[in-house]
Amino acid sequence: MNQYDNASSSNISHSGTSTGQQSPRQVAVNVLTNILLQQGSLSTQLARHQLDVASEHTPMLKELCFGVCRQYPRLNSIALHLLAHPFEEKDTDLYAVLLLGLYQLTYMNTPDHAAVNETVEACRLLKKDWATKLMNAVLRRYQREADEIVEALEAQPSVEFNMPKWLVKRFNKHWPDHLEDIIDASNTHPPMCIRINESLVSRETYKEQLADLGIDSEDGEFSDSALYLRNAVRVAELPGFDDGFVSVQDEAAQLSAQILSPKDGEKVLDACAAPGGKTGHLLEKANLSGLSSMELTAVELEPWRMEKIESNLKRLGYSAQLICADASDLEAWWDGEHFDKILLDVPCTATGVIRRNPDIKINRKPADIDDLVFIQREILNKVWATLKSGGFMLYATCSLMPEENEQQVQHFLANQDDAKEVALNSLAPDEAAKWGIPVSHGRQLFPHINGHDGFYYCLLQKA
Ligand SMILES: C[S@@+](CC[C@H](N)C(=O)[O-])C[C@H]1O[C@@H](n2cnc3c(N)ncnc32)[C@H](O)[C@@H]1O
């Protein structure tokens, strides 16, 4: 399963309580069980289950779910060490309960006795009373022997680096000089970065508005519209959020619209568009220059993700031609009119954004890389035909895997006579790319350099 999972994963109702009435811990068990069963990503599961707790408990729900995912490689090794036999798949919910108990004991201020009692009680709520003794014994042993257990496991790469072993190996293979920095950055809490809609307000003015509300922020170094908040806030606290003055988007992602720099009268395609962060930014850029005639088409495979583009654009007050289709199936969506510019932000392993999507540590498997490389190749080869002669395509991923990035482009260029790589500032010459590092094709951005997410960009032009 890749990160763009199906939103309709199963909802395990443990207590029969109604919306908003369950404890954050109960809901965290549901969310984590579905993630462990590969039935959804953390973001879709949280979106789905968030209303099961009262709003004042949302931060605790997020802390539990993000925390367990972030610490999963360590917690998983500890749990497997403590259990004589792993739980059967039908008892994955109990495994989620155990991981939560270990997380509370190791990383939260919950008093030990409360963490143990809550874990045992969670077994009863699942109507699995048979597990209460086991859970009690396992956690009590961990309380007594935590230091020795962790020390004994520390030699395992998954425990030492708190990252799946296969990912440590891949990072080490591709980026040996960056290994520890990539892992440290991927294990931290990401900063909150926002994008100011400069067609409505300047970054300076918006920064002052934030300061008046006691929200400190700093300019992004590379994107003209990026502000990093010193402390994360709820979007409802951001002035003008509902009216499209601001969006939440990492600075690295904001570079897409800057690189493509849409011009008056152009026909632009955003080929893998949901949830529409970059679609909205392209439209903002167009509006900034008064480009009323820019025509934007956004194609997205998943209907439920298409809805996110719709609601994002509605909030921003923009419109685009939205098409729900497989971008590589041209017959299904393309009318034969060529595009001047294309953004191809393909589905990828998202290994540059593990800090924002820590469930990647649970869900992502080595075989996903080959599967995704194949999908990306299909989309890239087919969508190329929709680009007009002289037109530009920006190939982008939020991956750190060269197979999806420079090697993908290398393969494409070797097989596509009418394609050439051009400098990333070809369309906005006064904005030379200083971010990330140059690689054999394009530039690789890392999560440990300059504070933004890990990303990859390469600009291609058709002969
Ligand atoms: C990396 S995300 C795009 C993020 C988006 N550009 C943004 O900034 O908000 C990739 C998107 O491609 C979609 N996708 C995957 N395969 C696709 C295909 N064959 N055709 C069109 N969209 C596809 C996924 O559902 C996902 O929404």
Side-chain angles (χ1 to χ4, degrees), residues 126-318:
L126 292 171
K127 303 203 177 1
K128 295 188 176 179
D129 293 37
W130 58 267
T132 54
K133 262 194 179 165
L134 169 73
M135 210 63 90
N136 191 44
V138 162
L139 289 189
R140 297 266 178 229
R141 183 176 155 213
Y142 181 62
Q143 263 183 294
R144 287 191 310 272
E145 301 172 22
D147 289 348
E148 296 91 302
I149 291 172
V150 172
E151 204 183 314
L153 296 174
E154 197 68 44
Q156 297 179 8
S158 57
V159 176
E160 182 188 352
F161 295 106
N162 201 12
M163 192 63 69
K165 186 176 163 190
W166 73 270
L167 257 179
V168 176
K169 277 175 120 176
R170 291 282 178 143
F171 286 146
N172 192 36
K173 177 178 164 202
H174 296 309
W175 310 110
D177 297 342
H178 295 275
L179 175 68
E180 296 205 353
D181 289 335
I182 290 175
I183 286 174
D184 284 352
S186 301
N187 282 337
T188 56
H189 287 258
M192 183 169 182
C193 185
I194 56 176
R195 181 186 83 226
I196 312 308
N197 184 348
E198 291 174 291
S199 69
L200 297 178
V201 61
S202 73
R203 175 162 74 173
E204 256 342 278
T205 305
Y206 196 81
K207 197 175 176 185
E208 282 163 20
Q209 288 177 16
L210 289 178
D212 289 345
L213 295 169
I215 302 173
D216 282 343
S217 62
E218 256 179 51
D219 291 354
E221 196 181 333
F222 306 110
S223 162
D224 303 339
S225 42
L227 276 181
Y228 286 93
L229 305 191
R230 204 171 302 283
N231 296 305
V233 299
R234 290 179 301 116
V235 290
E237 292 172 52
L238 295 171
F241 179 80
D242 286 342
D243 299 318
F245 280 67
V246 64
S247 301
V248 178
Q249 188 180 45
D250 184 76
E251 186 178 16
Q254 294 184 31
L255 298 171
S256 309
Q258 204 159 290
I259 296 168
L260 270 180
S261 188
K263 299 276 181 299
D264 201 5
E266 284 177 344
K267 203 172 147 54
V268 178
L269 170 68
D270 184 355
C272 295
K278 300 182 188 75
T279 322
H281 196 195
L282 285 165
L283 288 160
E284 282 172 15
K285 280 266 180 220
N287 238 47
L288 179 63
S289 337
L291 309 179
S292 50
S293 61
M294 185 188 88
E295 232 184 273
L296 185 65
T297 302
V299 176
E300 166 58 41
L301 180 67
E302 303 284 356
W304 65 275
R305 285 177 67 82
M306 185 57 114
E307 286 171 22
K308 293 193 179 269
I309 310 181
E310 281 165 15
S311 66
N312 262 327
L313 293 190
K314 191 168 168 206
R315 183 180 63 80
L316 294 172
Y318 297 130

Side-chain angles (χ1 to χ4, degrees), residues 348-410:
C348 70
T349 53
T351 35
V353 290
I354 295 175
R355 57 189 192 162
R356 296 196 189 276
N357 305 282
D359 51 315
I360 287 173
K361 294 183 180 188
I362 302 176
N363 280 334
R364 188 64 69 225
K365 302 284 175 276
D368 294 346
I369 300 179
D370 287 348
D371 293 349
L372 285 159
V373 165
F374 180 80
I375 292 168
Q376 292 156 0
R377 187 159 295 167
E378 270 301 286
I379 300 174
L380 179 53
N381 287 336
K382 294 285 172 46
V383 172
W384 185 252
T386 72
L387 185 64
K388 81 172 191 196
S389 175
F392 293 87
M393 174 187 277
L394 180 62
Y395 178 81
T397 75
C398 55
S399 167
L400 301 183
M401 297 294 156
E403 298 93 320
E404 302 177 87
N405 300 340
E406 55 186 300
Q407 289 172 20
Q408 182 72 277
V409 171
Q410 165 78 46

